[in-house]
Amino acid sequence: MLKSSLTPIFSTFPAKPNYPRLLFRAINANLNTAPTVRQNASPNIFTTTQLAPTSAYIHLPFCRKRCYYCDFPIVALGSHSPTQTNDDDDPRISNYIQLLLREINASKVNFKSHQPLETVFFGGGTPSLVPPRLVSSILDLLRVKFGVTSDAEISMEMDPGTFDFRKMDDLMALGVNRVSLGVQAFQEELLKACGRAHGVKEVYEAIEMVKSCGVENWSSDLISSLPNQTPQMWEESLRLIIEAQPNHVSVYDLQVEQGTKFGTLYTPGEFPLPSDVQSAGFYRMASRMLSDAGYNHYEISSYCRDGFECKHNFTYWKNKPFYGFGLGSASYVNGMRFSRPKKMRGYIDFVQSLENGTADYTGDTNMDVRDLASDVVMLSLRTARGLDLKSFRCAFGNSFVASLCEAYKPYVESGHVLCLNEQRTVLTADEYNAILLDENNIGQGLAYIRLSDPDGFLLSNELISTAFGVISPRSLSFKCQLLLWFVLHLGYCCNIDRLVNRRL
């Protein structure tokens, strides 16, 4: 279990839904100056949000123990849980899977046209603790209920020490074709300091098993800004993961959460945790080393080799609908985000209500155009591709695009925001300013806006807040505020599901 307590180093968020003070200072600075978004948005943008989801996230909450930074909904099984289980399954696992199957089976599918699932992501928790035959029961029901394409990306988070060759082979036979390996660090003292259930020896064994079993599409997670972590340690972890040659790497910065052991021991920015400047140094080091090693920095926390972007997580970046099933998980269906209870008793009651027909999460079509615009901008700016101004203009109008470009002028001049033409050539600040002199020219010369790597990504909190102030300067609806807070803290791409399903 990692990502529930991790965010990019440029972000801060509370354990409860109080919005960051710094965030509101950035928003309030724009309240009295920026125009509102046009209300005559294209109906196509609403149609897109009503499409049937083609992605599903499955939350399997089981861990051997709770890590010291974790406040995610999990079930701790104990440090002696077997790697490979057969007929003597832990009843806590088998009972939960039955409850999960009941939820999936009782979920309504109210769409005029229905497409099979193209991605399935098993997150947690530590999904690799679940016996393959129980994983099979979930996939079988998904195929019956929704359909699953023959080439679907089926991902599973796996921790070192929780699987062996047999389990890996069994999972691959079921269709699991993408593995996200929770390495976190290559230093024994750091793993112990985090309360991880594995050591460095298990890390190397897990990497060898994944590669020997022929899993081509595998990812690895690393975490920076741990207590007493030095730049030398971070550099070593980056070097060793590069030598292991995963096709995808996710890099996160520690977020100290209230209610965790770290929350009682440490204060962010104070020793033995690094300062903000030191954390920024960790981020810049990761960007440089991974880019030099041939990895594309395609999202704030995510790097991959050509062709190995996480397809499932592009569901989020493109603001497409998705199903979520299981304890604490979230769905985005019909333009509505809906989360399940994070406590097991509440989740049991929810499933019962779903079966009785008294609970539903299919949402409605009464969406606010400003919320949609906020969603698109914030998600797009977390990616290297950035915001597609042409499609955004078609959906929300010229005046909003002009206002957004005007608000970003200082950041274009500072190099934190990059503006590109149709050929994705970066425009100079002078070229950019010349285009802005005539609103009608914006559509001719500008095609994309993106944040620079790494400095723009490091400043993304402020830059996205600025965009939000342009979109909704006078009326900060609760949903818009939640969207902004949520998106600013999507701390990773490879396993983004954990944070998506934690914060909604």
Side-chain angles (χ1 to χ4, degrees), residues 177-194:
N177 52 26
R178 187 176 187 278
V179 169
S180 176
L181 193 62
V183 172
Q184 322 317 356
F186 281 87
Q187 295 78 33
E188 202 73 48
E189 60 269 37
L190 293 185
L191 294 174
K192 289 181 179 178
C194 292

Side-chain angles (χ1 to χ4, degrees), residues 364-384:
D364 59 42
T365 58
N366 187 25
M367 293 167 284
D368 188 294
V369 66
R370 292 172 300 178
D371 295 350
L372 288 172
S374 300
D375 217 346
V376 172
V377 171
M378 292 182 289
L379 289 166
S380 297
L381 289 182
R382 289 189 56 92
T383 68

Side-chain angles (χ1 to χ4, degrees), residues 147-159:
V148 178
T149 61
S150 59
D151 60 346
E153 178 190 85
I154 301 179
S155 305
M156 175 171 285
E157 294 177 346
M158 306 179 75
D159 277 358

Side-chain angles (χ1 to χ4, degrees), residues 10 73 91 106 119 137 146 165 173 236-237 247 249 282 302-303 323 333 343 349 363 366 369 413 418 459 469:
F10 37 79
T119 70
S137 67
F146 306 105
F165 283 103
E236 180 183 47
S237 288
N247 285 309
V249 180
F282 287 141
S302 306
Y303 304 77
Y323 295 113
V333 182
K343 300 290 186 180
D349 293 341
N366 187 25
V369 66
E413 294 172 356
L418 303 179
L459 199 63

Side-chain angles (χ1 to χ4, degrees), residues 27-89:
I27 293 173
N28 291 334
N30 294 288
L31 289 185
N32 299 319
T33 59
T36 58
V37 65
R38 286 175 52 168
Q39 298 301 307
N40 60 337
S42 166
N44 291 334
I45 193 70
F46 296 99
T47 303
T48 301
T49 62
Q50 297 167 37
L51 296 175
T54 57
S55 294
Y57 170 80
I58 312 296
H59 187 65
L60 303 179
F62 307 103
C63 290
R64 285 183 166 177
K65 56 184 292 193
R66 182 178 290 276
C67 297
Y68 299 157
Y69 46 70
C70 171
D71 71 341
F72 202 68
I74 69 162
V75 176
L77 300 176
S79 58
H80 299 294
S81 299
T83 297
Q84 179 71 39
T85 54
N86 295 300
D87 295 332
D88 56 339
D89 298 330

Side-chain angles (χ1 to χ4, degrees), residues 10 32 59 71 129 225 250 283 359 371 377 453 464 500:
F10 37 79
N32 299 319
H59 187 65
D71 71 341
L129 287 171
S225 300
S250 295
Y283 186 84
D371 295 350
V377 171
D453 177 14
I464 295 175
V500 170

